[in-house]
């Protein structure tokens, strides 16, 4: 196997080391290229750039493979639950019974949002975008628990277990509180319940009547959160790593990740899918208009829930969630006309040469909204649900950055295409 790659620039032959990952992924190590030659590699959007070594998640987009710490996503979906998978993603191994119990206890004892912090909510209008609220309030954890958020890796890593448990548990609580705030309902405090049951309790309990958790609902929620637990170097996770690489604490880095997730091309797609399906339903269309518009090539008209930056075959998460849709709806005794529309749209797109030739398939967001909706979670909260699910992945990636003694601050280069040097013109002489 070659250990070096060579490129020729200006008749000079440059040798660059080759790196190989544990699954055989290959990279040319270009870290010294600029120092040695003055050249950089140009890769807009970093689609072909490895920004780090990571042992959290392996993803093979060509073959639809997704594994967390070596465990295939379909096995985790079948046998694990969100909290066990979160532990695996963060700590690298499946927990034994003792560790699982300790982790659960740490999450339960750190679920509450203290009274003083609750006042932040009052400053937000009822119709504030939930993701804007979530990122602000998640960042305020750094203000309320400064001893866990010192912006000093060594100190922050000493308190990592507590900070990680707080991030997972409190972001879930904040999510439920954002929903209550938007509805003008009083907050419901967490109880000594399993993670997903507690979320449902905080979302849906009535003033004098606690929500009775339906096991099928809690199970479906567990599955959805688990399916979002991590996804390699996606936009929000790379953002968390980038912010973290400056030495920023876990909460602040996660808050940045939440902002990155809010965009419609990333986590915001799950809500956009529902809006699209609802419009098709309301207009009595069969999806033809959306498919035709999506083929125009403009970003604003894309078929939401379709395509992926790395999957070129199928998104294994979409397979699991798509299959779960029918099962969950049946178990809950519900039917949803949007599910039929989604299925028809998928079939139509998969027969269309535009989508086939570009290898565009349904992604995780295409069917997840149908299940969230069946669980009673409104569309405005879908991306918040994604964030609650993705917290473990952000935490694991922040920890890798913070633990890497040789890591440097993330600082890409650019190709400057602006004006060349020119002299300052006083305002009176400007056109
Ligand atoms: N509808 C129509 N055309 C599309 C779509 C789509 N959903 N996605 C990609 N294309 C086109 C794209 O315009 C390009 O066309 P051309 O070759 O003619 O220029 C071609 O397909 C290849 O695009 P790509 O390089 O595969 O896409 P990308 O890496 O730039 O973008 C994406 C990936 C996920 C942002 C994009 O597929 C998209 O915008 N999808 C809709 C939004 C969405 O569902 N996002 C959720 C992603 S999964 C959850 C998550 O991780 O956030």
């Amino acid at each position: 196997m070659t250990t070096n790659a060579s490129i020729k620039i200006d008749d000079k032959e440059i040798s660059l080391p080759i790196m190989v990952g544990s699954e055989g992924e290959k990279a040319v190590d270009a870290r010294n290229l600029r120092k040695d030659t003055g050249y950089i590699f140009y890769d807009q959007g970093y689609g072909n750039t490895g920004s780090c070594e990571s042992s959290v998640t392996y993803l093979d987009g060509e073959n639809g493979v997704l594994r967390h710490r070596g465990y295939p996503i379909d096995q985790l979906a079948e046998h694990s639950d969100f909290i066990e998978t979160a532990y695996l993603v963060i700590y690298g191994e499946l927990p034994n019974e003792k560790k699982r119990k300790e982790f659960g206890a740490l999450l339960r004892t750190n679920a509450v949002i203290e009274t003083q912090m609750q006042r932040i909510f009052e400053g937000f209008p009822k119709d504030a975008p939930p993701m804007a609220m979530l990122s602000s309030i998640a960042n305020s954890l750094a203000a309320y628990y400064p001893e866990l958020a010192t912006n000093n890796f060594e100190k922050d890593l000493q308190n990592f277990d507590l900070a990680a448990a707080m991030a997972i548990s409190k972001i879930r609580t904040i999510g439920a509180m954002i929903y209550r705030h938007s509805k003008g309902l009083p907050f419901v405090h967490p109880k000594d319940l399993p993670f997903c049951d507690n979320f449902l309790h905080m979302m849906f309990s009535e003033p004098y009547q606690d929500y009775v958790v339906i096991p099928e609902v809690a199970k479906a929620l567990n599955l959805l959160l688990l399916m979002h637990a991590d996804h390699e170097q996606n936009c929000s996770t790379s953002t968390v790593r980038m912010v973290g690489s400056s030495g920023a604490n876990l909460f602040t880095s996660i808050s940045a990740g939440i902002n990155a997730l809010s965009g419609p091309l990333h986590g915001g797609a799950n809500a956009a899918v529902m809006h699209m399906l609802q419009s098709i339903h309301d207009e009595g269309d069969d999806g033809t208009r959306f498919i035709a518009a999506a083929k125009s090539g403009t970003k604003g008209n894309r078929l939401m829930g379709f395509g992926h930056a790395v999957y070129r075959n199928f998104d294994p998460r979409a397979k699991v969630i798509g299959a779960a849709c029918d099962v969950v709806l049946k178990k809950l005794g519900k039917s949803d006309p949007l599910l039929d529309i989604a299925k028809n749209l998928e079939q139509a797109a998969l027969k269309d040469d535009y989508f086939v030739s570009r290898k565009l398939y349904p992604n995780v967001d295409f069917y997840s909204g149908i299940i969230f909706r069946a669980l009673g979670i409104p569309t405005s909260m879908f991306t918040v649900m994604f964030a609650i699910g993705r917290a473990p992945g952000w935490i694991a990636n922040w920890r890798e950055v913070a633990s890497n003694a040789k890591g440097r601050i993330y600082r890409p280069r650019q190709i400057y295409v602006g004006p060349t040097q020119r002299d300052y013109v006083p305002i009176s002489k400007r056109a």
Side-chain angles (χ1 to χ4, degrees):
M1 161 109 204
T2 355
T3 52
N4 279 288
S6 60
I7 55 168
K8 209 170 175 187
I9 303 178
D10 301 335
D11 285 337
K12 193 176 160 197
E13 186 108 359
I14 319 289
S15 175
L16 298 169
I18 287 197
M19 296 169 73
V20 184
S22 53
E23 290 281 356
E25 284 183 301
K26 294 186 272 297
V28 175
D29 180 350
R31 277 174 289 183
N32 288 325
L33 183 65
R34 187 173 180 279
K35 187 160 65 74
D36 294 344
T37 67
Y39 281 78
I40 60 167
F41 280 128
Y42 177 70
D43 180 22
Q44 197 277 324
Y46 317 130
N48 199 47
T49 295
S51 62
C52 60
E53 290 179 274
S54 175
S55 54
V56 182
T57 288
Y58 173 67
L59 200 164
D60 172 355
E62 276 69 35
N63 296 306
V65 173
L66 174 63
R67 297 184 204 128
H68 297 319
R69 305 285 190 179
Y71 295 101
I73 190 67
D74 48 329
Q75 285 188 26
L76 293 170
E78 194 180 341
H79 303 295
S80 184
D81 61 26
F82 174 60
I83 293 305
E84 185 185 67
T85 297
Y87 184 98
L88 169 73
V89 165
I90 295 170
Y91 293 105
E93 294 297 336
L94 287 166
N96 60 21
E97 270 180 47
K98 182 170 173 282
K99 286 190 170 148
R100 174 66 185 82
K101 270 194 189 136
E102 285 168 359
F103 188 51
L106 200 58
L107 294 173
R108 282 178 211 206
T109 48
N110 286 288
V112 80
I113 295 297
E114 311 292 344
T115 319
Q116 195 190 3
M117 202 173 146
Q118 285 178 26
R119 297 205 187 102
I120 303 176
F121 287 79
E122 290 166 19
F124 288 99
K126 296 227 175 325
D127 58 355
M131 286 295 276
M133 283 185 75
L134 185 65
S135 70
S136 311
I137 302 170
N139 195 29
S140 72
L141 291 170
Y144 281 88
Y145 303 99
E147 67 285 3
L148 306 180
T150 63
N151 288 353
N152 171 315
F153 281 155
E154 212 176 304
K155 286 188 191 155
D156 286 353
L157 283 172
Q158 278 163 14
N159 292 313
F160 175 78
D161 292 346
L162 181 56
M166 276 196 182
I168 294 179
S169 201
K170 289 189 194 293
I171 284 174
R172 178 268 327 257
T173 303
I174 295 166
M177 290 168 80
I178 290 172
Y179 169 73
R180 306 284 299 192
H181 174 77
S182 72
K183 294 266 167 202
L185 296 168
F187 296 139
V188 177
H189 293 289
K191 289 208 307 190
D192 193 17
L193 287 172
F195 189 86
C196 288
D197 297 29
N198 222 348
F199 175 75
L200 294 164
H201 157 71
M202 289 188 277
M203 284 279 285
F204 300 126
S205 286
E206 302 284 348
Y208 296 102
Q209 200 180 356
D210 275 0
Y211 173 85
V212 180
V213 175
I214 304 164
E216 280 80 14
V217 171
K219 196 171 171 219
L221 182 58
N222 243 307
L223 175 70
L224 284 175
L225 295 182
L226 184 156
M227 295 310 289
H228 288 89
D230 189 43
H231 206 236
E232 211 226 36
Q233 297 312 312
N234 56 87
C235 176
S236 58
T237 302
S238 300
T239 301
V240 168
R241 289 189 84 112
M242 178 167 271
V243 173
S245 77
S246 74
N249 67 79
L250 179 66
F251 302 134
T252 299
S253 305
I254 288 180
S255 164
I258 293 170
N259 283 321
L261 187 72
S262 68
L265 299 188
H266 192 10
N270 57 12
V273 170
M274 289 315 275
H275 293 308
M276 178 180 77
L277 297 176
Q278 192 64 53
S279 309
I280 294 175
H281 179 259
D282 295 347
E283 289 168 20
D285 183 26
D286 60 356
T288 314
R289 189 172 71 77
F290 277 87
I291 291 190
K295 286 154 67 171
S296 70
T298 49
K299 269 205 180 100
N301 284 325
R302 283 186 173 174
L303 196 63
M304 298 317 281
F306 255 73
H308 197 274
V310 284
Y311 290 122
R312 290 287 174 258
N313 183 330
F314 62 93
D315 180 338
R317 303 167 302 170
K319 253 192 175 177
V320 175
I321 294 179
C325 262
D326 283 316
V327 179
V328 172
L329 259 60
K330 202 168 162 203
K331 274 195 177 151
L332 296 177
K334 292 192 176 183
S335 65
D336 190 337
L338 299 196
L339 178 59
D340 296 329
I341 292 176
K343 283 182 180 171
N344 291 337
L345 196 64
E346 176 183 352
Q347 288 314 314
L350 294 182
K351 279 191 209 120
D352 191 304
D353 187 54
Y354 175 92
F355 294 91
V356 175
S357 62
R358 287 169 178 77
K359 302 193 172 177
L360 302 172
Y361 297 88
N363 59 48
V364 67
D365 291 325
F366 195 67
Y367 285 109
S368 63
I370 308 259
I371 304 187
F372 281 137
R373 191 163 119 120
L375 306 186
I377 294 163
T379 309
S380 58
M381 285 289 294
F382 285 3
T383 316
V384 169
M385 301 309 297
F386 193 149
I388 295 171
R390 183 54 53 86
W394 291 333
I395 293 167
N397 276 273
W398 178 89
R399 191 190 200 195
E400 280 193 343
V401 170
S403 311
N404 183 358
K406 290 195 177 144
R408 59 187 292 262
I409 190 165
Y410 279 34
R411 196 347 184 146
R413 296 266 175 180
Q414 65 167 16
I415 295 295
Y416 176 69
V417 294
T420 52
Q421 184 174 333
R422 48 187 171 161
D423 290 329
Y424 182 80
V425 182
I427 193 162
S428 58
K429 294 198 175 150
R430 289 179 214 155

